Short mmCIF file of all heavy atoms in Angstrom, two decimals:
data_model
loop_
_atom_site.label_atom_id
_atom_site.label_comp_id
_atom_site.label_asym_id
_atom_site.label_seq_id
_atom_site.Cartn_x
_atom_site.Cartn_y
_atom_site.Cartn_z
N ILE A 107 -8.99 -18.93 -12.58
CA ILE A 107 -7.84 -19.26 -13.52
C ILE A 107 -7.59 -18.14 -14.58
O ILE A 107 -6.42 -17.94 -14.92
CB ILE A 107 -8.42 -20.56 -14.27
CG1 ILE A 107 -8.47 -21.77 -13.35
CG2 ILE A 107 -7.47 -20.93 -15.47
CD1 ILE A 107 -9.04 -22.97 -13.89
N VAL A 108 -8.67 -17.53 -15.04
CA VAL A 108 -8.59 -16.43 -16.02
C VAL A 108 -7.75 -15.28 -15.37
O VAL A 108 -6.90 -14.69 -15.93
CB VAL A 108 -9.93 -15.88 -16.44
CG1 VAL A 108 -9.69 -14.58 -17.26
CG2 VAL A 108 -10.61 -17.01 -17.23
N VAL A 109 -8.07 -14.95 -14.01
CA VAL A 109 -7.29 -13.88 -13.49
C VAL A 109 -5.89 -14.26 -13.17
O VAL A 109 -4.95 -13.35 -13.35
CB VAL A 109 -8.00 -13.57 -12.04
CG1 VAL A 109 -7.15 -12.69 -11.21
CG2 VAL A 109 -9.40 -12.95 -12.18
N LEU A 110 -5.56 -15.41 -12.86
CA LEU A 110 -4.21 -15.95 -12.70
C LEU A 110 -3.41 -15.74 -14.00
O LEU A 110 -2.26 -15.37 -14.00
CB LEU A 110 -4.24 -17.36 -12.15
CG LEU A 110 -2.81 -17.91 -11.97
CD1 LEU A 110 -2.10 -17.20 -10.94
CD2 LEU A 110 -2.90 -19.42 -11.52
N LEU A 111 -4.11 -16.24 -15.08
CA LEU A 111 -3.40 -16.17 -16.42
C LEU A 111 -3.12 -14.72 -16.75
O LEU A 111 -1.99 -14.39 -17.28
CB LEU A 111 -4.20 -16.85 -17.38
CG LEU A 111 -4.40 -18.41 -17.32
CD1 LEU A 111 -5.33 -18.99 -18.39
CD2 LEU A 111 -2.90 -19.07 -17.42
N LEU A 112 -4.15 -13.90 -16.65
CA LEU A 112 -3.93 -12.49 -16.91
C LEU A 112 -2.92 -11.81 -16.04
O LEU A 112 -2.04 -10.93 -16.51
CB LEU A 112 -5.32 -11.67 -16.73
CG LEU A 112 -6.35 -12.03 -17.71
CD1 LEU A 112 -7.67 -11.32 -17.39
CD2 LEU A 112 -6.02 -11.74 -19.17
N GLY A 113 -2.77 -12.13 -14.72
CA GLY A 113 -1.83 -11.62 -13.89
C GLY A 113 -0.40 -12.11 -14.28
O GLY A 113 0.54 -11.30 -14.24
N VAL A 114 -0.21 -13.40 -14.77
CA VAL A 114 1.05 -13.76 -15.26
C VAL A 114 1.45 -13.10 -16.50
O VAL A 114 2.58 -12.65 -16.71
CB VAL A 114 1.01 -15.35 -15.52
CG1 VAL A 114 2.22 -15.78 -16.27
CG2 VAL A 114 0.81 -16.20 -14.18
N MET A 115 0.53 -12.94 -17.45
CA MET A 115 0.74 -12.13 -18.65
C MET A 115 1.16 -10.66 -18.31
O MET A 115 2.19 -10.14 -18.93
CB MET A 115 -0.48 -12.19 -19.62
CG MET A 115 -0.75 -13.64 -20.16
SD MET A 115 -2.25 -13.54 -21.22
CE MET A 115 -1.87 -12.33 -22.43
N TRP A 116 0.32 -10.12 -17.42
CA TRP A 116 0.69 -8.73 -16.98
C TRP A 116 2.16 -8.55 -16.35
O TRP A 116 2.91 -7.69 -16.64
CB TRP A 116 -0.44 -8.23 -16.03
CG TRP A 116 -0.16 -6.94 -15.53
CD1 TRP A 116 0.59 -5.88 -15.77
CD2 TRP A 116 -0.89 -6.43 -14.27
NE1 TRP A 116 0.54 -4.74 -15.06
CE2 TRP A 116 -0.44 -5.05 -14.12
CE3 TRP A 116 -1.90 -6.87 -13.48
CZ2 TRP A 116 -0.86 -4.22 -13.10
CZ3 TRP A 116 -2.33 -6.15 -12.44
CH2 TRP A 116 -1.90 -4.89 -12.21
N GLU A 117 2.50 -9.55 -15.55
CA GLU A 117 3.86 -9.55 -14.96
C GLU A 117 4.90 -9.59 -15.99
O GLU A 117 5.90 -8.93 -16.02
CB GLU A 117 3.87 -10.64 -13.88
CG GLU A 117 5.12 -10.75 -13.14
CD GLU A 117 5.32 -9.68 -12.10
OE1 GLU A 117 4.25 -9.22 -11.58
OE2 GLU A 117 6.46 -9.39 -11.82
N LEU A 118 4.74 -10.61 -16.94
CA LEU A 118 5.66 -10.75 -17.89
C LEU A 118 5.91 -9.61 -18.91
O LEU A 118 7.00 -9.24 -19.24
CB LEU A 118 5.39 -12.12 -18.85
CG LEU A 118 5.54 -13.36 -18.00
CD1 LEU A 118 5.05 -14.47 -18.85
CD2 LEU A 118 6.87 -13.62 -17.40
N LEU A 119 4.76 -9.02 -19.30
CA LEU A 119 4.85 -7.86 -20.21
C LEU A 119 5.43 -6.59 -19.57
O LEU A 119 6.10 -5.90 -20.29
CB LEU A 119 3.38 -7.75 -20.77
CG LEU A 119 2.84 -8.64 -21.69
CD1 LEU A 119 1.34 -8.29 -22.11
CD2 LEU A 119 3.66 -8.81 -22.94
N CYS A 120 5.04 -6.41 -18.36
CA CYS A 120 5.43 -5.10 -17.77
C CYS A 120 6.87 -5.20 -17.07
O CYS A 120 7.26 -4.24 -16.63
CB CYS A 120 4.38 -4.74 -16.71
SG CYS A 120 2.81 -4.19 -17.42
N ARG A 121 7.45 -6.40 -17.06
CA ARG A 121 8.77 -6.53 -16.55
C ARG A 121 9.87 -6.26 -17.67
O ARG A 121 11.03 -6.06 -17.38
CB ARG A 121 8.99 -7.90 -16.08
CG ARG A 121 8.64 -8.19 -14.54
CD ARG A 121 9.01 -9.56 -14.12
NE ARG A 121 8.70 -9.71 -12.71
CZ ARG A 121 9.61 -9.35 -11.75
NH1 ARG A 121 10.77 -8.81 -12.08
NH2 ARG A 121 9.33 -9.58 -10.49
N ARG A 122 9.40 -6.13 -18.82
CA ARG A 122 10.33 -5.82 -19.90
C ARG A 122 10.82 -4.45 -19.83
O ARG A 122 10.18 -3.46 -19.29
CB ARG A 122 9.69 -5.97 -21.36
CG ARG A 122 9.10 -7.40 -21.65
CD ARG A 122 8.55 -7.42 -22.94
NE ARG A 122 7.43 -6.53 -23.18
CZ ARG A 122 6.91 -6.29 -24.38
NH1 ARG A 122 7.29 -7.04 -25.40
NH2 ARG A 122 5.96 -5.35 -24.49
N THR A 123 12.04 -4.19 -20.39
CA THR A 123 12.70 -2.90 -20.32
C THR A 123 11.89 -1.88 -21.13
O THR A 123 11.49 -2.11 -22.21
CB THR A 123 14.04 -2.97 -20.91
OG1 THR A 123 14.80 -3.99 -20.06
CG2 THR A 123 14.85 -1.67 -20.68
N GLY A 124 11.71 -0.73 -20.63
CA GLY A 124 10.88 0.32 -21.30
C GLY A 124 9.45 0.32 -21.01
O GLY A 124 8.70 1.15 -21.57
N SER A 125 8.94 -0.60 -20.25
CA SER A 125 7.49 -0.63 -19.97
C SER A 125 7.19 0.49 -19.08
O SER A 125 7.78 0.82 -18.09
CB SER A 125 7.16 -1.95 -19.24
OG SER A 125 5.79 -1.98 -18.86
N THR A 126 6.16 1.22 -19.42
CA THR A 126 5.64 2.34 -18.57
C THR A 126 4.64 1.98 -17.46
O THR A 126 4.36 2.89 -16.70
CB THR A 126 4.95 3.45 -19.47
OG1 THR A 126 3.80 2.78 -20.19
CG2 THR A 126 5.96 3.92 -20.65
N LEU A 127 4.17 0.71 -17.42
CA LEU A 127 3.22 0.26 -16.46
C LEU A 127 3.96 -0.62 -15.44
O LEU A 127 4.75 -1.48 -15.95
CB LEU A 127 1.97 -0.34 -17.13
CG LEU A 127 1.09 0.58 -17.96
CD1 LEU A 127 0.02 -0.33 -18.53
CD2 LEU A 127 0.51 1.67 -17.12
N PRO A 128 3.66 -0.63 -14.20
CA PRO A 128 4.25 -1.50 -13.18
C PRO A 128 3.61 -2.89 -13.27
O PRO A 128 2.40 -2.96 -13.54
CB PRO A 128 4.00 -0.80 -11.91
CG PRO A 128 2.73 0.02 -12.11
CD PRO A 128 2.75 0.39 -13.64
N PRO A 129 4.53 -3.80 -13.04
CA PRO A 129 3.83 -5.32 -12.92
C PRO A 129 3.24 -5.44 -11.61
O PRO A 129 3.33 -4.57 -10.75
CB PRO A 129 5.14 -6.18 -12.96
CG PRO A 129 6.28 -5.30 -12.49
CD PRO A 129 5.88 -3.82 -12.95
N PRO A 130 2.37 -6.51 -11.59
CA PRO A 130 1.57 -6.78 -10.26
C PRO A 130 2.49 -6.76 -9.00
O PRO A 130 2.18 -6.32 -7.87
CB PRO A 130 1.04 -8.07 -10.42
CG PRO A 130 0.81 -8.15 -11.91
CD PRO A 130 2.13 -7.53 -12.48
N SER A 131 3.79 -7.28 -9.08
CA SER A 131 4.67 -7.43 -7.93
C SER A 131 5.00 -5.97 -7.47
O SER A 131 5.09 -5.76 -6.32
CB SER A 131 5.86 -8.16 -8.32
OG SER A 131 6.54 -7.58 -9.45
N LYS A 132 5.19 -5.08 -8.39
CA LYS A 132 5.62 -3.73 -8.02
C LYS A 132 4.36 -2.94 -7.52
O LYS A 132 4.53 -2.09 -6.56
CB LYS A 132 6.22 -2.97 -9.22
CG LYS A 132 6.84 -1.59 -8.89
CD LYS A 132 7.48 -0.99 -10.04
CE LYS A 132 8.21 0.24 -9.61
NZ LYS A 132 7.70 1.10 -8.61
N VAL A 133 3.28 -3.21 -8.01
CA VAL A 133 2.07 -2.59 -7.56
C VAL A 133 1.83 -2.94 -6.05
O VAL A 133 1.55 -2.17 -5.19
CB VAL A 133 0.84 -2.93 -8.38
CG1 VAL A 133 -0.48 -2.45 -7.73
CG2 VAL A 133 0.93 -2.43 -9.85
N TYR A 134 2.00 -4.22 -5.79
CA TYR A 134 1.79 -4.68 -4.37
C TYR A 134 2.86 -4.11 -3.39
O TYR A 134 2.60 -3.57 -2.35
CB TYR A 134 1.87 -6.16 -4.27
CG TYR A 134 1.89 -6.66 -2.89
CD1 TYR A 134 0.67 -6.77 -2.20
CD2 TYR A 134 3.10 -7.13 -2.22
CE1 TYR A 134 0.69 -7.18 -0.84
CE2 TYR A 134 3.05 -7.63 -0.92
CZ TYR A 134 1.87 -7.63 -0.23
OH TYR A 134 1.91 -8.06 1.06
N LYS A 135 4.14 -3.96 -4.00
CA LYS A 135 5.09 -3.38 -3.12
C LYS A 135 4.91 -1.94 -2.93
O LYS A 135 5.21 -1.40 -1.72
CB LYS A 135 6.52 -3.61 -3.87
CG LYS A 135 7.72 -3.08 -3.09
CD LYS A 135 8.92 -3.38 -3.83
CE LYS A 135 10.13 -2.78 -3.11
NZ LYS A 135 11.49 -2.96 -3.93
N ASP A 136 4.41 -1.20 -3.85
CA ASP A 136 4.41 0.30 -3.74
C ASP A 136 3.07 0.60 -2.90
O ASP A 136 2.96 1.76 -2.34
CB ASP A 136 4.15 0.91 -5.14
CG ASP A 136 5.52 0.90 -5.91
OD1 ASP A 136 6.51 0.57 -5.22
OD2 ASP A 136 5.44 0.93 -7.16
N THR A 137 1.97 -0.19 -2.93
CA THR A 137 0.72 0.12 -2.27
C THR A 137 0.49 -0.68 -1.10
O THR A 137 -0.68 -0.70 -0.61
CB THR A 137 -0.40 0.00 -3.31
OG1 THR A 137 -0.50 -1.32 -3.70
CG2 THR A 137 -0.21 0.92 -4.52
N LYS A 138 1.50 -1.38 -0.57
CA LYS A 138 1.28 -2.33 0.57
C LYS A 138 0.71 -1.62 1.79
O LYS A 138 -0.27 -2.09 2.44
CB LYS A 138 2.53 -2.99 0.92
CG LYS A 138 2.42 -4.01 1.97
CD LYS A 138 3.62 -4.90 2.07
CE LYS A 138 4.86 -4.11 2.20
NZ LYS A 138 6.11 -5.02 2.34
N GLU A 139 1.11 -0.46 1.98
CA GLU A 139 0.59 0.46 3.19
C GLU A 139 -0.88 0.81 2.97
O GLU A 139 -1.65 0.76 3.89
CB GLU A 139 1.50 1.62 3.39
CG GLU A 139 2.89 1.25 3.83
CD GLU A 139 3.76 2.48 4.10
OE1 GLU A 139 3.18 3.66 3.98
OE2 GLU A 139 4.94 2.39 4.42
N LEU A 140 -1.23 1.21 1.74
CA LEU A 140 -2.59 1.54 1.44
C LEU A 140 -3.52 0.34 1.55
O LEU A 140 -4.68 0.39 1.99
CB LEU A 140 -2.69 2.11 0.02
CG LEU A 140 -2.08 3.55 -0.21
CD1 LEU A 140 -2.14 3.87 -1.59
CD2 LEU A 140 -2.86 4.53 0.67
N ILE A 141 -3.02 -0.84 1.17
CA ILE A 141 -3.82 -2.03 1.24
C ILE A 141 -4.15 -2.40 2.65
O ILE A 141 -5.19 -2.69 3.13
CB ILE A 141 -3.16 -3.19 0.54
CG1 ILE A 141 -3.09 -2.92 -1.06
CG2 ILE A 141 -3.95 -4.49 0.66
CD1 ILE A 141 -2.23 -3.86 -1.82
N PHE A 142 -3.13 -2.46 3.50
CA PHE A 142 -3.25 -2.92 4.91
C PHE A 142 -3.71 -1.95 5.86
O PHE A 142 -4.03 -2.23 7.02
CB PHE A 142 -2.01 -3.56 5.34
CG PHE A 142 -1.65 -4.86 4.63
CD1 PHE A 142 -0.58 -4.94 3.64
CD2 PHE A 142 -2.28 -6.08 4.83
CE1 PHE A 142 -0.28 -5.96 2.96
CE2 PHE A 142 -1.96 -7.25 4.16
CZ PHE A 142 -1.06 -7.18 3.18
N ASP A 143 -3.67 -0.62 5.45
CA ASP A 143 -4.04 0.44 6.38
C ASP A 143 -4.91 1.50 5.62
O ASP A 143 -4.60 2.54 5.44
CB ASP A 143 -2.85 1.23 6.98
CG ASP A 143 -3.31 2.17 8.10
OD1 ASP A 143 -4.49 2.04 8.63
OD2 ASP A 143 -2.50 3.01 8.43
N PRO A 144 -6.23 0.99 5.22
CA PRO A 144 -7.09 1.95 4.48
C PRO A 144 -7.86 2.90 5.37
O PRO A 144 -8.57 3.77 4.87
CB PRO A 144 -8.03 0.97 3.87
CG PRO A 144 -8.15 -0.24 4.80
CD PRO A 144 -6.80 -0.22 5.50
N PHE A 145 -7.61 2.85 6.74
CA PHE A 145 -8.39 3.77 7.64
C PHE A 145 -7.58 4.92 8.18
O PHE A 145 -8.16 5.65 9.02
CB PHE A 145 -8.91 2.90 8.73
CG PHE A 145 -9.83 1.83 8.30
CD1 PHE A 145 -9.27 0.42 8.29
CD2 PHE A 145 -11.13 2.02 7.97
CE1 PHE A 145 -10.05 -0.55 7.90
CE2 PHE A 145 -11.98 0.98 7.61
CZ PHE A 145 -11.46 -0.35 7.55
N PHE A 146 -6.37 5.13 7.71
CA PHE A 146 -5.60 6.17 8.23
C PHE A 146 -6.22 7.62 7.76
O PHE A 146 -6.72 7.65 6.72
CB PHE A 146 -4.15 6.21 7.87
CG PHE A 146 -3.87 6.47 6.46
CD1 PHE A 146 -3.51 7.68 6.03
CD2 PHE A 146 -3.73 5.50 5.44
CE1 PHE A 146 -3.38 8.11 4.78
CE2 PHE A 146 -3.55 5.75 4.12
CZ PHE A 146 -3.27 7.10 3.78
N ASP A 147 -5.98 8.54 8.67
CA ASP A 147 -6.53 9.95 8.34
C ASP A 147 -5.47 10.94 9.08
O ASP A 147 -5.45 11.20 10.15
CB ASP A 147 -7.87 10.08 8.91
CG ASP A 147 -8.50 11.41 8.44
OD1 ASP A 147 -7.81 12.37 7.94
OD2 ASP A 147 -9.66 11.71 8.91
N ASN A 148 -4.70 11.47 8.11
CA ASN A 148 -3.67 12.57 8.55
C ASN A 148 -4.15 13.94 8.28
O ASN A 148 -3.36 14.87 8.42
CB ASN A 148 -2.47 12.29 7.75
CG ASN A 148 -1.70 10.98 7.94
OD1 ASN A 148 -1.97 10.32 9.08
ND2 ASN A 148 -1.10 10.33 7.04
N GLY A 149 -5.49 14.16 8.06
CA GLY A 149 -6.04 15.46 7.90
C GLY A 149 -5.98 15.85 6.46
O GLY A 149 -5.23 15.42 5.61
N GLY A 150 -6.94 16.71 6.02
CA GLY A 150 -6.99 17.21 4.72
C GLY A 150 -7.33 16.08 3.75
O GLY A 150 -8.31 15.36 3.98
#
């Protein structure tokens, strides 16, 4: 419940214009490939 409430607050605060931090929805969208494919190795 606490995590859910914090997530909702984070989403509402970071959706405002001028926010420098991404909301949870954008974090998921930007890092979806890293989440579902943590084992890739392209060298270096």
Side-chain angles (χ1 to χ4, degrees):
I107 294 175
V108 173
V109 169
L110 181 61
L111 292 176
L112 291 176
V114 172
M115 292 176 58
W116 177 12
E117 182 75 26
L118 294 176
L119 291 174
C120 294
R121 273 186 174 273
R122 297 184 305 174
T123 304
S125 176
T126 57
L127 294 177
S131 57
K132 189 176 187 327
V133 171
Y134 174 76
K135 181 180 178 181
D136 294 342
T137 62
K138 185 163 54 175
E139 294 182 1
L140 288 173
I141 295 173
F142 292 105
D143 188 14
F145 301 102
F146 73 87
D147 187 354
N148 297 329

